[in-house]
Amino acid sequence: MAPCDEPCLAETNDVSVLFFDRLTIGRIVQSHSDDGGVKWRMVQPTDLAKCYSPCRMVSNPHAGDLLCVWNQVSSEELQRGFLRRRLSLAISKLSGLTWANVKTLEVSEGLDPVALRVQPEVQIHMMVRDRKDCGELPHGWSFFHYANVDVPGD
């Protein structure tokens, strides 16, 4: 059993509701509801690599797509102690089934400035943790957490 908390919900362009949440497996997890949130499908991992930090997702009412902001990080970076050190954005035009236009908004010193997507490991872990000795973090490292998304005006 793994902790699953601080979810976010968004209505999709196919009128279902998408549930995104953080988990300790190194990925965002998701579920869909086709009846406004009464019944939900089984929670499944997405292909968006992340640490155990909350993500934020909103519907863009002007374009009908979804926007997600989260801490994109690889399992190796997690093991090196780089939690919440890369803030990323992605867009889904297919109700959360696929995510594209992945961009890095901010990145901490010490991490590779990955412009696009960090590929998650194929194997799902029950818990990705720091190594006992993850070394010394860079002097100018940054910490990005509890991001939010807003779609202003038109």
Side-chain angles (χ1 to χ4, degrees):
M1 183 122 143
C4 188
D5 50 52
E6 297 189 74
C8 56
L9 303 167
E11 191 171 39
T12 64
N13 58 8
D14 66 359
V15 196
S16 65
V17 180
L18 179 62
F19 161 94
F20 258 25
D21 208 352
R22 66 182 185 163
L23 205 65
T24 56
I25 63 170
R27 297 184 190 198
I28 294 174
V29 294
Q30 70 178 7
S31 179
H32 278 88
S33 173
D34 297 320
D35 60 7
V38 176
K39 296 178 192 167
W40 292 90
R41 296 183 198 151
M42 177 82 79
V43 172
Q44 298 291 323
T46 68
D47 65 348
L48 300 175
K50 70 180 290 299
C51 65
Y52 182 59
S53 64
C55 56
R56 292 295 172 250
M57 173 184 52
V58 297
S59 300
N60 180 344
H62 310 297
D65 47 16
L66 298 171
L67 305 171
C68 180
V69 175
W70 82 105
N71 295 113
Q72 182 177 211
V73 64
S74 70
S75 292
E76 172 62 26
E77 291 166 340
L78 282 172
Q79 291 173 1
R80 289 178 25 223
F82 285 99
L83 305 174
R84 302 181 187 197
R85 303 294 196 261
R86 183 183 293 109
L87 186 63
S88 299
L89 168 80
I91 298 172
S92 176
K93 296 187 180 295
L94 296 172
S95 300
L97 298 174
T98 61
W99 291 87
N101 300 324
V102 177
K103 304 276 187 243
T104 296
L105 302 173
E106 296 284 343
V107 65
S108 173
E109 185 176 314
L111 287 180
D112 295 330
V114 177
L116 302 174
R117 181 178 299 226
V118 172
Q119 294 299 322
E121 288 189 16
V122 174
Q123 180 181 357
I124 301 288
H125 300 281
M126 281 308 296
M127 176 70 111
V128 180
R129 296 185 184 264
D130 294 349
R131 295 183 187 124
K132 287 187 180 190
D133 179 19
C134 42
E136 192 171 317
L137 293 175
H139 175 67
W141 65 268
S142 302
F143 196 72
F144 311 107
H145 60 106
Y146 290 92
N148 208 347
V149 180
D150 192 15
V151 181
D154 56 353

